[in-house]
Amino acid sequence: MGNNKDIFGLQFHPEVVHTPEGKKILKNFLYKICGCRGNWTIGNFIEESIARIKLAVGSGKVVCGLSGGVDSSVAATLIHRAIGDQLTCIFVDHGLMRKNEVEETYETFKKNLGVNVILSRSSTRFLNRLRASATRKTKRKIIGEEFVRVLKKKPAR
């Protein structure tokens, strides 16, 4: 790769086992070039994330769209740890989860974690829109659009 500013790059995969000295290359890049220290832990990440969220939210309120996937579930959990009842999650039942998973996820957030959760049963609208779609790319776009529409609608508690 290159550009007109004499910046060049080389793509390869040092993380795979068949790249000779791959770990050494990564270590040199991270520690010597990027200045990383190697002191990252999940605990540090959680503490720092909670502190940043508290600072950003202050006394405000947060609405978090919850799909039941890993990303939104982790985000909701971190936000709840940071600001507690200032968070309201809207858990969207899009009709694409495993049997009983909607109820289990709702119970986990509502009863086990104590999160304010509104359940939006929206599977019919998602499945109706997806029925006519053929490609994965189109389906992903439809799911994203519908998710936003559901979140913009004022849900009943």
Side-chain angles (χ1 to χ4, degrees):
M1 296 180 286
N3 65 18
N4 60 1
K5 297 180 183 174
D6 292 326
I7 297 174
F8 299 92
L10 172 67
Q11 181 178 351
F12 72 109
H13 298 279
E15 74 279 7
V16 297
V17 294
H18 58 270
T19 299
E21 304 293 331
K23 286 184 180 180
K24 185 176 182 182
I25 293 167
L26 285 173
K27 189 175 180 179
N28 286 339
F29 176 73
L30 292 171
Y31 297 126
K32 293 180 180 176
I33 295 172
C34 296
C36 294
R37 295 183 306 247
N39 59 352
W40 186 92
T41 67
I42 190 65
N44 291 345
F45 171 77
I46 292 169
E47 288 175 25
E48 290 170 10
S49 296
I50 289 171
R52 280 196 313 272
I53 293 165
K54 282 181 181 180
L55 184 64
V57 175
S59 61
K61 301 274 186 186
V62 173
V63 174
C64 178
L66 186 58
S67 68
V70 172
D71 295 342
S72 66
S73 296
V74 169
T77 302
L78 282 172
I79 295 167
H80 183 257
R81 283 191 186 178
I83 62 170
D85 289 342
Q86 292 169 255
L87 169 68
T88 299
C89 287
I90 301 174
F91 177 36
V92 180
D93 173 7
H94 42 65
L96 303 170
M97 296 179 83
R98 294 176 191 92
K99 184 178 179 180
N100 301 322
E101 196 170 16
V102 170
E103 291 74 17
E104 291 168 3
T105 302
Y106 179 78
E107 292 293 315
T108 296
F109 279 90
K110 184 82 171 171
K111 295 201 171 126
N112 297 353
L113 299 176
V115 177
N116 297 325
V117 183
I118 298 169
L119 177 57
S120 174
R121 295 209 179 265
S122 305
S123 60
T124 302
R125 71 183 293 158
F126 277 83
L127 297 176
N128 284 341
R129 287 264 340 263
L130 290 169
R131 188 171 287 126
S133 174
T135 69
R136 284 184 278 171
K137 183 178 179 181
T138 306
K139 288 179 192 285
R140 279 194 298 274
K141 184 176 179 187
I142 289 169
I143 291 167
E145 288 170 353
E146 284 304 310
F147 205 90
V148 169
R149 284 187 183 117
V150 169
L151 294 177
K152 282 185 175 180
K153 199 173 118 181
K154 179 137 177 123
R157 282 199 172 256

